PDB file of all heavy atoms in Angstrom:
ATOM      1  N   ILE A 136     -93.697-118.305 184.902  1.00 92.00           N
ATOM      2  CA  ILE A 136     -94.781-119.220 185.094  1.00 92.00           C
ATOM      3  C   ILE A 136     -94.270-120.652 184.846  1.00 92.00           C
ATOM      4  O   ILE A 136     -93.358-120.805 184.002  1.00 92.00           O
ATOM      5  CB  ILE A 136     -96.028-118.880 184.268  1.00 92.00           C
ATOM      6  CG1 ILE A 136     -95.714-118.979 182.801  1.00 92.00           C
ATOM      7  CG2 ILE A 136     -96.612-117.590 184.624  1.00 92.00           C
ATOM      8  CD1 ILE A 136     -97.038-118.967 181.930  1.00 92.00           C
ATOM      9  N   LYS A 137     -94.922-121.604 185.539  1.00 88.00           N
ATOM     10  CA  LYS A 137     -94.613-123.051 185.221  1.00 88.00           C
ATOM     11  C   LYS A 137     -95.749-123.520 184.389  1.00 88.00           C
ATOM     12  O   LYS A 137     -96.967-123.462 184.820  1.00 88.00           O
ATOM     13  CB  LYS A 137     -94.505-123.775 186.542  1.00 88.00           C
ATOM     14  CG  LYS A 137     -94.054-125.217 186.297  1.00 88.00           C
ATOM     15  CD  LYS A 137     -93.853-125.907 187.657  1.00 88.00           C
ATOM     16  CE  LYS A 137     -92.387-126.097 187.849  1.00 88.00           C
ATOM     17  NZ  LYS A 137     -91.953-126.810 189.051  1.00 88.00           N
ATOM     18  N   VAL A 138     -95.409-124.091 183.225  1.00 83.00           N
ATOM     19  CA  VAL A 138     -96.430-124.588 182.320  1.00 83.00           C
ATOM     20  C   VAL A 138     -96.257-126.129 182.277  1.00 83.00           C
ATOM     21  O   VAL A 138     -95.186-126.627 182.040  1.00 83.00           O
ATOM     22  CB  VAL A 138     -96.285-123.990 180.887  1.00 83.00           C
ATOM     23  CG1 VAL A 138     -97.317-124.574 179.966  1.00 83.00           C
ATOM     24  CG2 VAL A 138     -96.431-122.490 180.992  1.00 83.00           C
ATOM     25  N   ARG A 139     -97.353-126.836 182.496  1.00 80.00           N
ATOM     26  CA  ARG A 139     -97.357-128.290 182.461  1.00 80.00           C
ATOM     27  C   ARG A 139     -98.067-128.743 181.215  1.00 80.00           C
ATOM     28  O   ARG A 139     -99.160-128.235 180.880  1.00 80.00           O
ATOM     29  CB  ARG A 139     -98.079-128.892 183.712  1.00 80.00           C
ATOM     30  CG  ARG A 139     -97.312-128.688 185.001  1.00 80.00           C
ATOM     31  CD  ARG A 139     -98.216-129.103 186.176  1.00 80.00           C
ATOM     32  NE  ARG A 139     -97.603-128.864 187.434  1.00 80.00           N
ATOM     33  CZ  ARG A 139     -97.427-127.703 188.064  1.00 80.00           C
ATOM     34  NH1 ARG A 139     -97.667-126.620 187.386  1.00 80.00           N
ATOM     35  NH2 ARG A 139     -96.883-127.632 189.221  1.00 80.00           N
ATOM     36  N   GLY A 140     -97.409-129.683 180.491  1.00 75.00           N
ATOM     37  CA  GLY A 140     -98.043-130.216 179.285  1.00 75.00           C
ATOM     38  C   GLY A 140     -97.689-131.628 179.162  1.00 75.00           C
ATOM     39  O   GLY A 140     -97.083-132.255 180.094  1.00 75.00           O
ATOM     40  N   ALA A 141     -97.989-132.233 178.003  1.00 77.00           N
ATOM     41  CA  ALA A 141     -97.721-133.619 177.705  1.00 77.00           C
ATOM     42  C   ALA A 141     -96.257-133.952 177.810  1.00 77.00           C
ATOM     43  O   ALA A 141     -95.846-135.084 178.198  1.00 77.00           O
ATOM     44  CB  ALA A 141     -98.287-134.026 176.385  1.00 77.00           C
ATOM     45  N   GLY A 142     -95.394-132.955 177.452  1.00 78.00           N
ATOM     46  CA  GLY A 142     -93.979-133.195 177.428  1.00 78.00           C
ATOM     47  C   GLY A 142     -93.304-132.910 178.787  1.00 78.00           C
ATOM     48  O   GLY A 142     -92.089-132.897 178.891  1.00 78.00           O
ATOM     49  N   GLY A 143     -94.139-132.587 179.797  1.00 83.00           N
ATOM     50  CA  GLY A 143     -93.566-132.264 181.096  1.00 83.00           C
ATOM     51  C   GLY A 143     -93.873-130.864 181.509  1.00 83.00           C
ATOM     52  O   GLY A 143     -94.707-130.184 180.938  1.00 83.00           O
ATOM     53  N   ALA A 144     -93.076-130.302 182.482  1.00 85.00           N
ATOM     54  CA  ALA A 144     -93.235-128.943 182.965  1.00 85.00           C
ATOM     55  C   ALA A 144     -92.046-128.067 182.504  1.00 85.00           C
ATOM     56  O   ALA A 144     -90.935-128.586 182.421  1.00 85.00           O
ATOM     57  CB  ALA A 144     -93.415-128.939 184.463  1.00 85.00           C
ATOM     58  N   GLU A 145     -92.248-126.827 182.274  1.00 87.00           N
ATOM     59  CA  GLU A 145     -91.240-125.847 181.954  1.00 87.00           C
ATOM     60  C   GLU A 145     -91.507-124.495 182.494  1.00 87.00           C
ATOM     61  O   GLU A 145     -92.690-124.177 182.658  1.00 87.00           O
ATOM     62  CB  GLU A 145     -90.997-125.835 180.429  1.00 87.00           C
ATOM     63  CG  GLU A 145     -92.091-125.238 179.661  1.00 87.00           C
ATOM     64  CD  GLU A 145     -91.764-125.038 178.161  1.00 87.00           C
ATOM     65  OE1 GLU A 145     -90.675-124.563 177.841  1.00 87.00           O
ATOM     66  OE2 GLU A 145     -92.654-125.394 177.374  1.00 87.00           O
ATOM     67  N   GLU A 146     -90.488-123.744 182.789  1.00 91.00           N
ATOM     68  CA  GLU A 146     -90.696-122.356 183.260  1.00 91.00           C
ATOM     69  C   GLU A 146     -90.593-121.449 182.029  1.00 91.00           C
ATOM     70  O   GLU A 146     -89.706-121.611 181.215  1.00 91.00           O
ATOM     71  CB  GLU A 146     -89.618-122.000 184.316  1.00 91.00           C
ATOM     72  CG  GLU A 146     -89.907-122.678 185.620  1.00 91.00           C
ATOM     73  CD  GLU A 146     -89.618-121.777 186.796  1.00 91.00           C
ATOM     74  OE1 GLU A 146     -89.017-120.739 186.618  1.00 91.00           O
ATOM     75  OE2 GLU A 146     -89.999-122.170 187.903  1.00 91.00           O
ATOM     76  N   ARG A 147     -91.447-120.481 182.046  1.00 94.00           N
ATOM     77  CA  ARG A 147     -91.411-119.445 180.930  1.00 94.00           C
ATOM     78  C   ARG A 147     -91.404-118.063 181.546  1.00 94.00           C
ATOM     79  O   ARG A 147     -92.134-117.799 182.509  1.00 94.00           O
ATOM     80  CB  ARG A 147     -92.663-119.602 180.062  1.00 94.00           C
ATOM     81  CG  ARG A 147     -92.694-120.923 179.293  1.00 94.00           C
ATOM     82  CD  ARG A 147     -93.921-120.946 178.433  1.00 94.00           C
ATOM     83  NE  ARG A 147     -94.120-122.253 177.826  1.00 94.00           N
ATOM     84  CZ  ARG A 147     -95.283-122.661 177.308  1.00 94.00           C
ATOM     85  NH1 ARG A 147     -96.308-121.820 177.233  1.00 94.00           N
ATOM     86  NH2 ARG A 147     -95.388-123.853 176.786  1.00 94.00           N
TER      87      ARG A 147
END
Side-chain angles (χ1 to χ4, degrees):
I136 61 169
K137 185 176 254 183
V138 178
R139 291 171 182 70
E145 67 175 315
E146 288 219 347
R147 295 181 188 165

